[in-house]
Amino acid sequence: MLLFVIANIAIKILPPVLALIFSSLLSIVYQWRVEQAKRRFVHQAFSKYMSRSYVDQLVANPDQLKVSGEHREMTFLFTDLAGFTPLTEELAPDTLVSLINEYLDKTCEIVTRHGGMVACVVGDALHVLFNAPVYQADHAQRAVDAAIELDAFCQNFAALQHAQGIPLDVTRIGINTGVTVVGNFGGKERIEYTAMGDAINTAARLESVNKYLGTRVCVSESTVEQCSGITFRPIGSLVLKGKSEGISVFEPMENLPSKSIDQDVYIDAYKKIETQDLGALDAFRELASSCPDDPLVSFHLNRLKSGESGTTIVMNEK
């Protein structure tokens, strides 16, 4: 308009206006396609491993997912069905597939309902992440709550299988909290969203040491410190295989086989071991007589009988 008024020069305005409109429409369509691709990626990547509510959060806010990798405090939960490998050779294939599918369906459902992400399923074992990819301020609490429910289900499930003549063993669970690197790992052909770090290895080791302690659930102190409303009892300071320092480990008391054991009585006896009190052996003998079905009490009693003292327990195997 200025050129027309001053210099009497008229410019054809329709073509550039149409070009602007057309390019804007193309840009809108392109952005829409990019957004839909992000949503499809999130759904495909996480719908099998997380609860629908968390997947919906990621779809609505894809920026929460940092696929490039980051340091983040997380809680890790590992499970393993004891004695399952020999069972695979004894059961008929149809029976085995039906059994493991039913087991995994329910255990995965429990984990995802508590906000965990099933990062990996190895046979009967679950590797679960909390506080990724969606941030969870209460990730440690969620993990222990999930473990308690898992433990109750797995005990009932094993009892039902025993009634049908299938000697299913206990499910062992290990939980640890720590800072790791989380993000997409893999090559050109295969990429997985997972975490890497020593905190994961510790959770896996805690799952494994249950078989030596007689426990089913082992929780590290770093996790216990962030939990409330759950009663724990100390197991000991475990020096895990390949480590030089011990970590304090605890057992939740919700699903213990003997409800008659008194937390305060156990703590008093445990403190006697901790301070190397000469009365520790008698204290655990008394506990064992009143709670003969408590594996952890039997474990400490056997340690004391063999001449061991203190609460530091060196694990020579993974």
Side-chain angles (χ1 to χ4, degrees):
M1 290 295 293
L2 188 63
L3 286 171
F4 180 74
V5 171
I6 295 175
N8 201 30
I9 298 174
I11 298 176
K12 293 181 179 180
I13 201 166
L14 184 61
V17 169
L18 290 176
L20 179 62
I21 293 172
F22 183 68
S23 61
S24 297
L25 289 174
L26 283 178
S27 177
I28 291 170
V29 171
Y30 174 76
Q31 292 297 328
W32 178 82
R33 287 175 62 88
V34 169
E35 184 67 23
Q36 292 302 308
K38 285 183 179 179
R39 291 172 180 265
R40 284 194 300 272
F41 167 76
V42 172
H43 265 295
Q44 292 171 0
F46 298 104
S47 59
K48 294 181 180 179
Y49 311 108
M50 300 176 62
S51 66
R52 183 176 180 84
S53 62
Y54 281 104
V55 176
D56 290 342
Q57 285 185 43
L58 284 177
V59 170
N61 302 285
D63 291 339
Q64 292 184 29
L65 178 62
K66 293 187 178 181
V67 296
S68 58
E70 62 174 315
H71 283 96
R72 187 185 298 190
E73 183 185 72
M74 299 172 62
T75 299
F76 304 94
L77 183 153
F78 278 64
T79 75
D80 187 52
L81 185 55
F84 188 71
T85 301
L87 199 61
T88 61
E89 301 174 359
E90 300 174 12
L91 297 178
D94 289 347
T95 303
L96 177 65
V97 170
S98 176
L99 174 70
I100 197 63
N101 285 348
E102 183 181 358
Y103 173 84
L104 289 175
D105 278 346
K106 184 59 180 178
T107 52
C108 288
E109 185 272 324
I110 291 172
V111 164
T112 55
R113 180 157 38 79
H114 284 277
M117 174 186 168
V118 181
C120 185
V121 178
V122 182
D124 61 89
L126 301 182
H127 301 175
V128 184
L129 317 179
F130 287 85
N131 200 30
V134 177
Y135 280 101
Q136 300 163 327
D138 57 345
H139 52 91
Q141 182 82 43
R142 288 175 177 272
V144 177
D145 287 341
I148 291 171
E149 187 175 347
L150 279 171
D151 183 43
F153 161 74
C154 292
Q155 286 189 81
N156 292 332
F157 186 75
L160 289 173
Q161 301 309 313
H162 274 270
Q164 300 176 35
I166 301 175
L168 201 64
D169 211 331
V170 300
T171 295
R172 302 186 182 112
I173 302 171
I175 304 175
N176 182 48
T177 299
V179 177
T180 59
V181 177
V182 61
N184 275 330
F185 295 91
K188 294 181 179 179
E189 299 297 327
R190 179 178 175 83
I191 295 178
E192 288 186 352
Y193 184 83
T194 188
M196 291 187 178
D198 187 62
I200 303 173
N201 298 331
T202 299
R205 299 282 178 85
L206 290 181
E207 175 274 308
S208 181
V209 299
N210 280 293
K211 60 187 172 185
Y212 304 108
L213 303 171
T215 53
R216 296 188 305 274
V217 183
C218 277
V219 185
S220 71
E221 184 177 26
S222 59
T223 303
V224 171
E225 288 175 341
Q226 300 187 42
C227 294
S228 61
I230 301 172
T231 303
F232 294 92
R233 64 176 178 175
I235 293 173
S237 178
L238 304 187
V239 181
L240 300 173
K241 177 73 172 178
K243 302 290 183 180
S244 58
E245 296 183 1
I247 61 169
S248 296
V249 180
F250 298 80
E251 178 187 30
M253 296 189 68
E254 269 67 12
N255 299 325
L256 291 184
S258 175
K259 291 294 183 181
S260 61
I261 187 168
D262 185 275
Q263 166 77 345
D264 293 333
V265 175
Y266 175 85
I267 294 295
D268 287 342
Y270 180 84
K271 286 181 177 178
K272 285 182 170 60
I273 301 180
E274 197 170 33
T275 59
Q276 301 190 24
D277 190 316
L278 295 177
L281 180 57
D282 289 336
F284 270 91
R285 276 178 176 156
E286 186 174 343
L287 267 178
S289 63
S290 61
C291 306
D293 57 348
D294 191 315
L296 185 56
V297 170
S298 299
F299 172 79
H300 281 301
L301 178 59
N302 291 331
R303 288 183 62 235
L304 293 168
K305 284 181 176 179
S306 66
E308 293 185 45
S309 61
T311 56
T312 298
I313 305 166
V314 179
M315 308 306 301
N316 294 317
E317 298 183 38
K318 293 183 180 180

